[in-house]
Amino acid sequence: MYDIRPAYNAKSVKNYLAYDEPGVDIAFGGKGFEHLGIDPTADMTLRKFNALIDNKSPLNPKESLTPRNTEGRIVGNYVTLSPPKDVTLLVIGAQPEVAEKARECLREAGDYVMKRFIEPEATVRERKGPHADRETGNLMWVRLHHTLDRPHEGKIMPQEHLHYFIPNATFDETRGRFFATKLRGGWWESAKIKRQFHKRLRDNLERELGIKTKGFGMRWRIEGIDRETVERFSLRGKAAQANIEAGVSRKFAALKGREPKMKLDEQDVAELKEQWQALLTDRDRQCLRNLVARPKWGRRLHPGKRRLEFIRNLAHLTHAAPDPRREVDFALTR
């Protein structure tokens, strides 16, 4: 899943970023920090980042970052990237070192699309002379790696996903200062970004962990994980599917009946993990442990195997009645 939406309330954004799941991974990135003289990997904190949300410089809170600081302005944009539920099951059922490696693969895929497809397309509007957008190619963002889904009927299920927040500021070298940004690529090329995110994540898992996958494009899954197991952990996905069947548009199906997040501590998360483990059968645990193979069997190192896999995935299209065991249905990934 890929979602991008604007934010208009600075206080709401800061409250959201302050809501930390226990052990949440937080990182900062973007070329825009270079124009502030800040190293995002060493010198940036959420407290300093709040100044950017208020359209202030972290180095000088009394200085406005962009010229226009009117009431009701867009303070930034949320970007959400979610993998298939199979990746979440891999994390909760694999060995700790494998689970952490899978999380690293997810974070790398998210940073990849941010740096490669969203940041280079950042633009500013030229208000004088010819009215046009000029590319700047720099942004600033904070990344939060969340592991919990929203509650559904009081139950919380695991869901590995990434949240990025991008303040509404980009450095224009032509005029020598920060201006409000337009995320042209993030909006216009959403389908391309989704495809690239899934492709990068899939390649990372196969190259780093040797995990076998099947499917093509955004419709892929990890071999060895039963669909019944995925549905058992997809409460919100099944509710969204029921809303679609009842006539609600796909765009609002996931928002219908959306419950607010709960503030949890480490003890609460530990209890949730015990509940998730209780949902796994012995067969599920054995299958999840057997997913990891030698990394040399990845698709990137064996292009011939990749071609054969593509043909195998298309084979069911030649039959009038496709085999339901090979049918890929990803409507219930959440």
Side-chain angles (χ1 to χ4, degrees):
M1 186 190 87
Y2 167 75
D3 178 58
I4 179 171
R5 56 188 176 89
Y8 296 89
N9 190 311
K11 182 178 179 181
S12 175
V13 173
K14 288 185 284 188
N15 289 339
Y16 179 81
L17 297 181
Y19 168 79
D20 292 343
E21 298 176 4
V24 66
D25 180 86
I26 301 177
F28 302 88
K31 296 180 181 179
F33 286 109
E34 299 177 1
H35 299 284
L36 288 174
I38 296 176
D39 182 2
T41 61
D43 303 331
M44 204 61 192
T45 62
L46 271 179
R47 186 173 182 178
K48 293 181 180 179
F49 193 81
N50 287 341
L52 297 174
I53 300 174
D54 291 328
N55 197 28
K56 304 293 183 181
S57 171
L59 302 179
N60 186 5
K62 296 182 179 180
E63 177 184 350
S64 179
L65 196 61
T66 64
R68 298 170 65 88
N69 196 18
T70 58
E71 184 179 355
R73 65 184 291 273
I74 296 177
V75 299
N77 289 272
Y78 291 107
V79 173
T80 303
L81 293 165
S82 297
K85 182 69 78 172
D86 300 47
V87 177
T88 300
L89 293 177
L90 170 65
V91 170
I92 67 174
Q95 299 296 328
E97 60 275 9
V98 175
E100 183 56 34
K101 194 68 176 178
R103 291 190 179 102
E104 291 177 2
C105 292
L106 173 60
R107 292 192 286 263
E108 196 280 336
D111 291 350
Y112 170 77
V113 297
M114 288 292 296
K115 296 176 182 178
R116 185 75 178 271
F117 300 101
I118 297 181
E119 184 175 43
E121 297 292 332
T123 62
V124 293
R125 178 184 174 187
E126 179 60 78
R127 295 180 179 273
K128 295 182 180 180
H131 291 269
D133 295 339
R134 181 169 55 252
E135 290 187 358
T136 60
N138 64 84
L139 292 170
M140 298 172 285
W141 66 76
V142 58
R143 183 198 70 212
L144 289 84
H145 184 169
H146 286 177
T147 61
L148 304 178
D149 205 350
R150 283 183 177 270
H152 178 73
E153 297 181 353
K155 296 181 180 179
I156 300 178
M157 287 295 163
Q159 176 63 39
E160 299 285 332
H161 60 285
L162 303 175
H163 289 294
Y164 292 85
F165 183 78
I166 308 170
N168 189 15
T170 182
F171 188 81
D172 183 12
E173 295 185 356
T174 302
R175 289 177 282 181
R177 69 166 301 172
F178 282 89
F179 288 89
T181 182
K182 298 177 68 175
L183 297 181
R184 180 179 61 181
W187 291 97
W188 294 356
E189 300 182 356
S190 59
K192 177 182 178 181
I193 292 172
K194 284 189 286 188
R195 290 195 303 270
Q196 292 296 330
F197 168 70
H198 284 278
K199 179 180 181 298
R200 185 74 172 189
L201 174 58
R202 185 177 180 180
D203 287 342
N204 287 348
L205 293 174
E206 293 187 346
R207 183 180 64 252
E208 300 296 335
L209 295 174
I211 291 175
K212 298 179 181 180
T213 63
K214 59 183 178 181
F216 53 93
M218 294 177 286
R219 299 170 61 86
W220 63 277
R221 61 179 300 180
I222 296 176
E223 288 189 10
I225 298 181
D226 294 336
R227 190 60 191 167
E228 189 275 332
T229 306
V230 174
E231 293 180 355
R232 201 184 311 147
F233 285 84
S234 303
L235 299 182
R236 287 190 64 206
K238 288 188 286 188
Q241 184 65 32
N243 291 331
I244 293 174
E245 295 174 356
V248 179
S249 67
R250 184 174 294 273
K251 180 178 181 181
F252 296 102
L255 300 178
K256 187 177 176 62
R258 194 180 190 187
E259 300 179 17
K261 290 187 175 182
M262 299 180 182
K263 187 67 174 180
L264 305 175
D265 55 23
E266 294 183 359
Q267 181 62 30
D268 296 330
V269 175
E271 293 176 358
L272 285 174
K273 290 181 178 179
E274 292 179 359
Q275 297 175 12
W276 301 336
Q277 292 297 326
L279 290 176
L280 294 173
T281 64
D282 292 339
R283 184 178 183 276
D284 293 335
R285 296 189 183 92
Q286 186 64 32
C287 291
L288 291 171
R289 293 193 188 101
N290 293 338
L291 291 176
V292 179
R294 298 179 64 183
K296 71 176 184 178
W297 299 113
R299 296 184 304 163
R300 180 169 295 183
L301 299 182
H302 293 269
K305 174 181 177 293
R306 191 171 188 175
R307 289 194 296 270
L308 291 175
E309 182 188 46
F310 178 73
I311 295 173
R312 184 174 69 250
N313 291 329
L314 293 182
H316 71 277
L317 298 179
T318 61
H319 300 284
D323 186 350
R325 293 172 298 178
R326 295 190 177 186
E327 216 169 9
V328 183
D329 178 16
F330 284 92
L332 306 179
T333 55
R334 294 296 296 273

